[in-house]
Amino acid sequence: MRIPIILAACGLAFSAVPANAQTAPVWAGAWGYAPADSGAGEPVQPAGTYRYRVRLSQAGNAMQLTFSNAEGDAPLAISQVTVASPIGAAGTEPRGNTVHPIVFGGKPGIALPRGRTAISDPLVLPLTNAQDVIVSVTFSTPTRPGRTNLGMEMAFAPSAPQAAFTPIKARPYLSLVSVRAPAAPCTVVAFGDSITDGYLGLSAQTRGWPGRLAERMAQLPAARRCGVVNMGISGNRVLRAGRAVSALERFWRDVASVPNVTHVVFLEGINDIGGSGSGADAVTPEDLLNGYRQFVARAHALGIKVIGGTITPAFRAGYMSPAKEQVRQAVNAAIRTGKVFDGVVDFEAAVRNPAAPADLRPEFDPGDHLHPNDAGLRAMGDAVNLALLTPRG
């Protein structure tokens, strides 16, 4: 006989839910972190356990985890995964009496060859919107995660007796959390580069402007609420590989694979502009707009709407120039016509300096003149018109 464990206050209730409790279950994305490559100079971690603190953006009665080695440079092996309620409002310490195992085909571990992903068996348990969970992942092999995470609570401990967990800043191998719900009206994938990823946004639980969007969605009635999945990658480009494969290539991996995806909020292109060369190697507005149209065509083929974001100011960033700034402005002008995407979010207007529109507002500029700080990312999340993100039908 299986005895459910019920927690009071903000804990998880890991109790079985009858299979017939819902008639038309819908799986939907509730959290995401797109995989990206780690550089050859990144430090290698020994076999050990990562703890990830994850905030869900959708309620449900079961969860399923996706782990990715899509951009890895060596095969990996997962020996154990667990999910638990956190002890407190911050940190990665799991509440001991809530730990629940995750399995893969009924087994506790699974191999992750290079370029592969693995999806767990469903874990049946009640989940609430905006709930935090601790996902603990033990690898029996060394790992070398990409070091681009700044806005997510996580910790690592080597597989050694009495080894302590210490905070670490790295991309998680957990790439998607999906939940099963009687009704999941819509799921939004936030797609972009470091500004979407949340680089320089240090909020522990609210990662980047998509995290602020998820906070706003959480205040809506359940029938109107979209889950939000952040698939930003620092250094990513639209037209060619940068950090990870190009946006056009990773559409299938990081958008189409998200269950119940109905919308994409797309913000990408500054790395294409800033990172391009001169002459024949220069990226033109039409080059970038053609890339956008290709992305939209892929989405429309699957019935997904794409909301385009204007590119935020970056004139004084190291890789920009007056000519490249003209490209950015021309691309934004085309986006604002409403003819490229299914809707528009004017991110540029939300963070630009009124006195110098090619620059970030001083209070939003952390000093690199490219990445908005937490206040700027919050303003971007507030700039999204929720009326653009409505359930199908």
Side-chain angles (χ1 to χ4, degrees), residues 101-142:
I102 295 287
V103 295
F104 304 84
K107 298 180 180 180
I110 193 167
L112 271 181
R114 292 180 59 185
R116 297 290 296 276
T117 61
I119 302 175
S120 75
D121 297 354
L123 171 64
V124 179
L125 74 168
L127 301 160
T128 60
N129 182 49
Q131 175 180 336
D132 288 355
V133 296
I134 304 298
V135 180
S136 299
V137 189
T138 300
F139 288 88
S140 58
T141 52

Side-chain angles (χ1 to χ4, degrees), residues 6-392:
I6 309 296
L7 273 73
C10 60
L12 295 180
F14 291 109
S15 57
V17 176
N20 61 359
Q22 58 179 12
T23 56
V26 176
W27 283 96
W31 180 91
Y33 213 128
D37 57 300
S38 58
E42 303 278 16
V44 174
Q45 298 293 334
T49 300
Y50 292 91
R51 287 177 178 168
Y52 308 134
R53 184 170 183 134
V54 171
R55 176 160 293 177
L56 304 178
S57 64
Q58 189 63 269
N61 57 25
M63 72 188 315
Q64 201 164 32
L65 309 182
T66 300
F67 297 90
S68 179
N69 193 22
E71 300 271 352
D73 60 358
L76 304 176
I78 294 174
S79 59
Q80 184 183 51
V81 179
T82 63
V83 173
S85 174
I87 281 181
T92 59
E93 186 72 21
R95 193 182 297 272
N97 60 348
T98 69
V99 176
H100 204 90
I102 295 287
V103 295
F104 304 84
K107 298 180 180 180
I110 193 167
L112 271 181
R114 292 180 59 185
R116 297 290 296 276
T117 61
I119 302 175
S120 75
D121 297 354
L123 171 64
V124 179
L125 74 168
L127 301 160
T128 60
N129 182 49
Q131 175 180 336
D132 288 355
V133 296
I134 304 298
V135 180
S136 299
V137 189
T138 300
F139 288 88
S140 58
T141 52
T143 57
R144 183 163 61 185
R147 298 297 175 119
T148 59
N149 166 60
L150 287 176
M152 176 187 173
E153 281 193 290
M154 56 188 292
F156 176 80
S159 297
Q162 300 180 336
F165 279 87
T166 57
I168 185 173
K169 298 295 185 182
R171 298 190 77 85
Y173 287 99
L174 177 68
S175 62
L176 181 67
V177 179
S178 304
V179 301
R180 187 182 66 190
C186 43
T187 302
V188 179
V189 172
F191 191 100
D193 49 39
S194 55
I195 296 173
T196 297
D197 194 350
Y199 183 75
L200 293 186
L202 302 180
S203 300
Q205 305 306 329
T206 303
R207 186 172 131 241
W209 65 260
R212 173 56 185 158
L213 175 61
E215 285 183 342
R216 295 177 63 206
M217 281 287 178
Q219 304 304 312
L220 298 179
R224 176 67 184 80
R225 183 189 308 137
C226 299
V228 179
V229 175
N230 187 340
M231 290 298 188
I233 297 179
S234 296
N236 199 230
R237 299 187 188 189
V238 178
L239 302 174
R240 63 179 66 178
R243 189 71 188 274
V245 297
S246 72
L248 296 178
E249 293 301 319
R250 72 184 185 93
F251 170 85
W252 307 106
R253 184 190 76 191
D254 296 338
V255 176
S257 65
V258 177
N260 192 51
V261 55
T262 55
H263 301 78
V264 175
V265 180
F266 183 98
L267 172 60
E268 192 157 338
I270 192 62
N271 291 325
D272 294 78
I273 298 169
S276 70
S278 58
D281 192 45
V283 170
T284 67
E286 195 55 34
D287 289 336
L288 206 46
L289 292 169
N290 281 336
Y292 291 168
R293 294 184 186 106
Q294 287 290 314
F295 189 97
V296 171
R298 288 159 168 76
H300 284 179
L302 300 180
I304 301 167
K305 292 184 177 181
V306 184
I307 313 303
T310 52
I311 302 173
T312 52
F315 180 62
R316 290 188 293 153
Y319 61 8
M320 291 295 283
S321 68
K324 292 176 180 180
E325 171 61 14
Q326 290 181 0
V327 174
R328 186 187 73 88
Q329 292 185 16
V331 170
N332 280 352
I335 291 173
R336 290 190 180 101
T337 66
K339 297 179 180 179
V340 180
F341 297 102
D342 299 305
V344 177
V345 179
D346 202 341
F347 286 128
E348 182 200 45
V351 297
R352 71 187 174 203
N353 184 349
D359 294 329
L360 293 171
R361 295 176 69 100
E363 64 269 34
F364 294 160
D365 189 347
D368 71 355
H369 315 305
L370 173 63
H371 300 97
N373 59 16
D374 263 358
L377 293 171
R378 186 176 184 86
M380 291 175 66
D382 287 339
V384 181
N385 182 357
L386 299 185
L388 296 171
L389 308 173
T390 56
R392 284 195 180 115

